[in-house]
Amino acid sequence: MTAEETFLHIFEVIVDKSADELEHAGADCDTLSRGTFRNRITKSAVLRAVLRKIGSVADHISQVRDSLLAIGRIAAFVTQGGVEGAPHVNAQRMKAI
């Protein structure tokens, strides 16, 4: 495996993992929504617990978003040949990731 292939594989793994985490967060939000609104929960203690869980999911989504933004900046930098002596990275494959 070349340096470029290894680098691109690392990017693929990071993006795939982030996508899985976002999918899981979406499922958590769907579950919370169904449980709260379909069951017409009115007990304040239960609603507070739901709000805490929503806050936790939102924090996690924010962290994933920040990571993906950083990855995007790194990808742009690398595809523009920003590192002297670094192997050339296939810009088309990077965009596909």
Side-chain angles (χ1 to χ4, degrees):
M1 195 177 252
T2 67
E4 177 188 11
E5 290 170 339
T6 302
F7 180 77
L8 291 172
H9 181 70
I10 290 168
F11 263 67
E12 287 175 342
V13 169
I14 291 169
V15 170
D16 287 346
K17 173 90 168 107
S18 297
D20 290 344
E21 290 180 20
L22 290 174
E23 187 176 330
H24 182 72
D28 285 349
C29 287
D30 290 344
T31 300
L32 288 167
S33 176
R34 277 192 303 275
T36 303
F37 295 109
R38 286 189 183 162
N39 296 331
R40 300 191 186 271
I41 295 173
T42 57
K43 294 181 181 177
S44 60
V46 174
L47 291 174
R48 276 194 297 278
V50 169
L51 284 173
R52 278 193 297 275
K53 178 65 177 171
I54 289 170
S56 174
V57 170
D59 285 345
H60 187 68
I61 289 171
S62 178
Q63 291 170 352
V64 171
R65 179 182 172 274
D66 289 346
S67 296
L68 289 172
L69 286 172
I71 291 294
R73 286 192 291 271
I74 293 168
F77 180 74
V78 169
T79 56
Q80 293 173 2
V83 180
E84 190 173 322
H88 174 72
V89 174
N90 184 325
Q92 292 295 86
R93 185 163 172 216
M94 183 66 82
K95 281 184 180 181
I97 295 172

